[in-house]
Amino acid sequence: MASPVSPGMVLVFALIVVALLLFVTERIPSDTTALAVLVSLVVFESWTRISATEAIAGFASPATLTIVAMYMLSEGIQRTGLVDRLGEMLEAATGGTERGLLGATVGTTGLAAGVVNNTPIVAVFIPMITDLAGKHGLSPSKFLLPLSYAAMLGGTLTLVGTATNILASDLSRQLLGQPLSMFEFTKLGVVVFLVGAAYLLTVGRWLTPTRIDPDEDLTRSFELENHLVRLVVRESSPLVGLTVEEAVAEMGDDAEDLDVLQIERDGESYLATSTDRQLVAGDLLTVRTTLQVANRAAAYGLRHRHRDEVTEDDLSETPHRGTLAEVVIPGDSRFLGKRLGDSALDDRFDTTVLAVRRGDGVITRDLDDVELRRGDTLLLQTTAGAIAYLADRDEVMVTREAEDPGDLDEAVRAETAPAPLDPRTPVAAGILLAVIVVAALGLFPIVIAALGGVVAMIVTGCLNPTDAYDAVSWNVVFLLAGVLPLGLAMQRTGGDAFLAGLLANSTAVLPLLGVLALVYLVSALLANVITPVATTVLMIPVAVDTATRIGANRLTFLLAVMFAASTAFMTPIGYQTNLMVYGPGGYRFTDYVRVGAPLQLLVTVVTTLGLAAFWGLR
């Protein structure tokens, strides 16, 4: 029987509904939404029963600190070159076939994601797999979605595989009196991973679409055929003698939505954003604009060369210092929420945004007004130094970079030599192994073992403090700390008991196994539209209470939510790795439903049966 509804319960449910809407629409960043919920709970303390001290306790919870430490440990491992070496193993194992590359991708990613945070794994593998696919004439779209799914499936192998596992362990400590051990659910994780991998290599391979042509020019893939033009400076042009910046200012409103990309003169090419050369008669300007604006430029002595097609090679060939790069905006980029016109990319980084891919649409006009969102894919004309700087500071994630034809021989030579490993690789790997062993044996809690590993990484020089702090996805940390008191508020006001009563009533029409499957399915669907972290916080207390009411095994029901939250396959917004591959793969929203829905149903059945078999229903 469901619990009676109280005013506090209504208020908490209202906050949850508002938070869900904001999570889905992303009108404000998800971590900001979580902090707003935290503040609201304290403001309405008389109804929510959450004090200020309890509201901010999430920042010091074992789950939060463990996740921070695991981000740092993952960074220490990544800096050794081990993850890059996995890429070389991928290429050696593929044999140049689609099935070979897919199998190597799924296997390597899944196993690595079991011990290292899956976000950096996917970030490193996206450009690596894109390059391998292009080298063998294969579409990257066939591999990037399975890459994300494999990383999610691999996260179910160990306690440190995902942030939701660590959070579930802490909730198990609070609700059941015992945290989850390092390998407590590995036996089921192995089954889920193998079944999921088999699906991705067979049915999933057939369902995954080919959205990106491997041989397609970057300018064409971003639909820029009618937005890149060449203009010749006539002798009579009033712009002669002016710099590019001065010329654009002279054109005033007629230069709106016009970016001069490069100047060609006497066989030499110059990046327009980084040169102060004055225009002379005969200069050939490569411009990003519309055909209408290009035609209006005739009034300023600029002749439009209609038959010239601007390609990827034209914008990246030597001796021109520029290059084209496809990048994704990650969740912790400082560009999030900023208009491109306010980003200072052109002034500070000699970088021009040519187009923005958002979902299955491409934005090529009025770019200055585009407000950047998490997962946006940008085509940039920039310099090698600028793109390296932005990528090193995690402002962007580079997924593809145009090759300079003059550097092809050097690139071929580089591909034949294996990437060198850092001399401290054995130390870093040993530290991570020690953390896992100490936590697995129960010598110390996972949070102490992980923090001790971070100290060891810094003391031994495997990681410096600055890199350690930079490695943490602080938006995830603030999201977690912000939603934890929401789960507590549900318990205090009886919200979890109310929902548990509704689920418990399903026993009238469903067997116990069916109720378990229902809990899993509800959690999985919720994780597909909000964050897995929020799903874990909200649903685990409900699942445990439901199990108590119907006399079921509480651990079984807790694990059902944990597995469900880690496997949100059906939308690009449910899990961060899904969003990371959205733009580079050229996917549509429906592709996630097409490939992910059958996998979601398959994993629901396998996990539910596995939970019943390994832990029992009562």
Side-chain angles (χ1 to χ4, degrees):
M1 180 177 178
S3 301
V5 178
S6 66
M9 186 191 303
V10 173
L11 176 60
V12 171
F13 280 145
L15 288 175
I16 291 174
V17 171
V18 172
L20 294 183
L21 290 175
L22 290 174
F23 281 143
V24 173
T25 60
E26 293 190 323
R27 298 294 296 271
I28 59 177
S30 56
D31 51 332
T32 305
T33 297
L35 291 178
V37 170
L38 182 153
V39 172
S40 300
L41 290 173
V42 177
V43 170
F44 299 105
E45 179 182 354
S46 56
W47 291 281
T48 64
R49 303 178 189 176
I50 301 296
S51 67
T53 301
E54 291 170 325
I56 63 175
F59 289 97
S61 76
T64 303
L65 293 176
T66 303
I67 290 167
V68 169
M70 291 310 302
Y71 274 121
M72 294 179 176
L73 290 173
S74 296
E75 178 68 12
I77 292 296
Q78 187 176 342
R79 286 182 175 274
T80 65
L82 276 174
V83 176
D84 293 322
R85 185 60 63 88
L86 286 175
E88 296 167 9
M89 295 168 56
L90 268 180
E91 182 169 11
T94 61
T97 66
E98 179 183 320
R99 188 180 295 275
L101 179 55
L102 183 60
T105 298
V106 171
T108 307
T109 306
L111 294 177
V115 292
V116 180
N117 185 274
N118 54 22
T119 302
I121 291 289
V122 172
V124 170
F125 274 43
I126 287 175
M128 190 183 301
I129 289 173
T130 299
D131 289 343
L132 286 175
K135 182 184 299 183
H136 298 296
L138 303 171
S139 171
S141 307
K142 299 294 289 185
F143 308 100
L144 294 181
L145 194 56
L147 166 69
S148 175
Y149 288 169
M152 295 161 66
L153 291 166
T156 65
L157 294 174
T158 69
L159 179 63
V160 296
T162 68
T164 52
N165 294 353
I166 297 170
L167 178 56
S169 175
D170 192 49
L171 290 171
S172 176
R173 177 185 59 80
Q174 297 175 32
L175 300 172
L176 306 184
Q178 181 67 40
L180 303 175
S181 65
M182 179 64 70
F183 301 108
E184 184 157 353
F185 47 84
T186 298
K187 52 191 175 184
L188 179 56
V190 170
V191 174
V192 171
F193 174 71
L194 291 176
V195 171
Y199 169 87
L200 293 174
L201 295 175
T202 54
V203 178
R205 175 171 173 255
W206 175 67
L207 291 174
T208 303
T210 300
R211 297 294 183 201
I212 299 291
D213 184 345
D215 300 320
E216 189 172 39
D217 189 279
L218 268 174
T219 58
R220 287 188 173 274
S221 67
F222 278 83
E223 302 175 9
L224 287 170
E225 299 96 320
N226 295 322
H227 294 273
L228 294 174
V229 300
R230 282 200 169 100
L231 305 174
V232 180
V233 181
R234 299 177 184 269
E235 290 186 5
S236 58
S237 172
L239 306 181
V240 170
L242 302 180
T243 65
V244 169
E245 185 176 355
E246 292 168 343
V248 171
E250 176 70 18
M251 295 175 69
D253 292 341
D254 288 328
E256 186 178 356
D257 202 22
L258 179 148
D259 293 305
V260 181
L261 305 179
Q262 67 185 44
I263 306 170
E264 294 182 36
R265 179 185 303 167
D266 299 327
E268 295 285 332
S269 298
Y270 307 99
L271 193 63
T273 54
S274 62
T275 183
D276 57 0
R277 287 174 173 80
Q278 297 176 334
L279 298 180
V280 301
D283 279 351
L284 184 61
L285 309 181
T286 302
V287 177
R288 186 208 64 81
T289 187
T290 64
L291 295 179
Q292 293 87 343
V293 174
N295 290 331
R296 287 205 303 267
Y300 296 89
L302 300 178
R303 178 171 58 85
H304 182 193
R305 288 174 48 164
H306 293 273
R307 295 185 179 182
D308 279 11
E309 180 182 4
V310 181
T311 65
E312 174 183 314
D313 289 343
D314 294 326
L315 295 176
S316 58
E317 65 183 357
T318 190
H320 174 233
R321 293 199 309 115
T323 184
L324 285 188
E326 180 189 72
V327 303
V328 173
I329 302 296
D332 51 358
S333 173
R334 65 184 177 89
F335 295 127
L336 276 180
K338 285 188 176 180
R339 292 172 60 256
L340 277 173
D342 300 330
S343 66
L345 280 168
D346 52 350
D347 296 332
R348 290 189 56 196
F349 303 105
D350 295 332
T351 295
T352 302
V353 179
L354 303 181
V356 178
R357 180 184 291 131
R358 178 172 292 165
D360 57 355
V362 177
I363 305 170
T364 54
R365 302 188 62 173
D366 302 320
L367 293 178
D368 282 348
D369 296 327
V370 174
E371 186 176 294
L372 292 176
R373 301 178 187 173
R374 182 169 58 109
D376 280 350
T377 303
L378 279 56
L379 180 62
L380 308 178
Q381 190 199 32
T382 182
T383 64
I387 198 63
Y389 179 89
L390 292 170
D392 187 54
R393 282 154 182 77
D394 297 326
E395 305 296 354
V396 301
M397 181 182 71
V398 182
T399 55
R400 181 179 170 188
E401 190 170 353
E403 292 181 325
D404 185 337
D407 291 338
L408 288 178
D409 292 339
E410 181 180 345
V412 171
R413 288 194 299 271
E415 287 171 0
T416 61
L421 292 176
D422 189 282
R424 290 180 288 268
T425 297
V427 178
I431 291 171
L432 180 62
L433 180 61
V435 169
I436 294 173
V437 171
V438 168
L441 295 177
L443 301 178
F444 294 100
I446 178 66
V447 61
I448 300 301
L451 289 173
V454 172
V455 172
M457 285 269 192
I458 293 175
V459 169
T460 57
C462 297
L463 194 62
N464 64 57
T466 301
D467 291 335
Y469 287 116
D470 288 343
V472 179
S473 291
W474 293 106
N475 59 320
V476 175
V477 173
F478 276 83
L479 170 65
L480 172 60
V483 298
L484 278 174
L486 187 58
L488 181 60
M490 281 189 60
Q491 297 175 50
R492 293 276 177 85
T493 61
D496 59 339
F498 177 80
L499 295 178
L502 296 179
L503 286 172
N505 290 339
S506 66
T507 55
V509 293
L510 291 175
L512 198 54
L513 184 64
V515 178
L516 179 64
L518 179 62
V519 168
Y520 183 99
L521 199 56
V522 169
S523 301
L525 293 175
L526 195 59
N528 274 285
V529 294
I530 64 172
T531 66
V533 166
T535 299
T536 302
V537 169
L538 296 176
M539 284 300 299
I540 279 184
V542 173
V544 170
D545 197 347
T546 300
T548 302
R549 289 168 179 263
I550 62 179
N553 186 332
R554 296 188 299 168
L555 177 60
T556 300
F557 275 66
L558 181 145
L559 291 175
V561 176
M562 186 197 76
F563 272 88
S566 299
T567 52
F569 301 117
M570 294 195 298
T571 69
I573 60 176
Y575 204 84
Q576 56 188 343
T577 59
N578 278 356
L579 196 58
M580 289 167 67
V581 302
Y582 194 16
Y587 298 117
R588 301 171 183 168
F589 195 98
T590 53
D591 292 335
Y592 288 82
V593 178
R594 176 184 177 186
V595 184
L599 180 58
Q600 194 86 66
L601 291 174
L602 177 63
V603 171
T604 298
V605 173
V606 171
T607 306
T608 302
L609 294 176
L611 287 168
F614 290 133
W615 287 276
L617 294 174
R618 296 189 183 275

